[in-house]
Structures are given as C-alpha cells and as structure tokens.
Amino acid sequence: MFITFEGPDGSGKTYQLAIFADYLKDKGYPVLTTREPGGTSIGDQIRDVLHDMNNTEMRPHTEILLYQASRAQLVEQVIVPHLKSGGIILCDRYADSTLAYQGYGHQLNLKKLAALIDFATRGLTPDLSLLLDVDVGEGLRRRARGGEWNRLDAYDLDFHQRVRKGYHELVRQEPQRWVVIDAGQPPERVQADIRKFVMERLAKSG
Ligand code: TYD
C-alpha cells in the first residue's frame, strides 16, 4: 500500500509520519518511509538546490521540473521496488504537492502539470492520501518558531492560502483516495486520527 502525507507548510506531517511509521513497525508491518523532494541521493541533491535561500532567481518552470526529476528517481529506485515486495510506503509529499503548490499556488496549467507528473511517476498514484489540514497563518507561525524556514515558505500568505484551497479541491475531485485530518488539534489527537483512518483502510485491503 502506497500512502502519502500531504498538507500546507507547518502542518506537522513530517513529525506525525515518523511516529506513525514507528507504530506500524512495532506491529510488524514492512514499512518504508521516504520524502519529497529527496528520498534518494540524487533527490537529496535536487532538494538542496530547491531549498537554497540564495536561489532567488529560480523560475516556476525550473522548480516544477526539479520536483519531477526528484520524483522520477524516487519512484523507480525506492517506491516501486518496495511495493513490489509487498511493503507499505509512507511518503512525505508526492504528486499532489506539485498540483497544490505549482498548480494552485503558482497558478500554472493543471493539465500540463498532470501530464508531467504522469511522465515522472509512470502513472503511479497513491492508494491513500492524508491531508493534514491546518490554518495557513498557524502553519507558517509553527514553521518560523521551529526555525525551519526555507525559500518556499517565504512566498506570501496569498500563495499559501491558494495552496490550502488547492488541496481541498483535489480532495473534492477524488474523495475516495483522501482522508482529511484536522492538524490544528494537539499532536496526540492528530496521531490518533491518523491511526484510526489508516488502520481501517489497511484492514479493508486485507
Ligand atoms: P519541506 O522542507 O519538505 O517542507 P514540509 O515539511 O512542509 O514538507 O519542503 C518541501 C517544500 O517543497 C514545501 O514548501 C512544498 C514544496 N513542494 C512543492 O512546491 N512542489 C512539490 O512537488 C513538492 C514535492 C514540494
């Protein structure tokens, strides 16, 4: 089963994913965690370029192609082999981040983005996607407090609002794939919701 964690910046998904992965491992599930951009040696090098605060001249099209390059490498090198061996993948961001950030955030053509994503992933879509949904202002305050501020967080508030709305639009288009989790709750409540929904889904998939 291929599970992705999505959400606006500061939704706490990285933290929640790590705790949930430990929980599944304790139960004996063959879990592999990974993240985007990154997750491979090549992907991590691409990630450094994307996050570098000095790369202020980065154009949206460049950004898009770098994300797809990182993703293509991750799919072939990590995700597909693990799924083939019967494992569970927990991935911190995936293709929906491109649609939410580049599509809705930067307002680039969604159909063209979908075609690029399809090329990069060879059509591999998640079985389940969790949207860790949080108020945009609250998310950015959390990020700033955590000292984890990168080039992409520095886009304006309207951009981040469009990203959040974009996620909701993606959920509306494919409700069967998504679970929306209120990430404004205390962390232990967020984790409890994640466990409840994913364990239900795992039970159903046998
Ligand atoms: P990261 O430090 O991983 O932040 P987070 O913990 O919020 O995931 O930075 C990832 C950033 O990259 C985040 O701001 C979203 C952005 N992003 C895109 O814009 N498009 C994409 O396709 C992906 C995968 C990420």
Side-chain angles (χ1 to χ4, degrees), residues 5 11-27 90 130 132 142 179 181-200:
F5 283 56
S11 59
K13 67 187 163 35
T14 306
Y15 168 79
Q16 295 290 349
L17 185 153
I19 295 177
F20 183 58
D22 287 343
Y23 170 80
L24 284 180
K25 281 179 200 155
D26 281 351
K27 288 191 166 294
L90 302 182
L130 307 180
L132 271 68
R142 286 186 191 170
V179 170
I181 302 218
D182 176 6
Q185 305 178 91
E188 56 284 359
R189 297 288 302 277
V190 175
Q191 182 65 207
D193 281 357
I194 293 172
R195 289 182 189 181
K196 177 169 163 278
F197 288 119
V198 179
M199 297 320 282
E200 258 173 38

Side-chain angles (χ1 to χ4, degrees), residues 103-121:
Y104 291 97
H106 285 304
Q107 299 172 301
L108 296 168
N109 186 297
L110 287 161
K111 279 211 175 97
K112 287 185 182 168
L113 288 175
L116 287 176
I117 289 168
D118 189 58
F119 179 76
T121 61

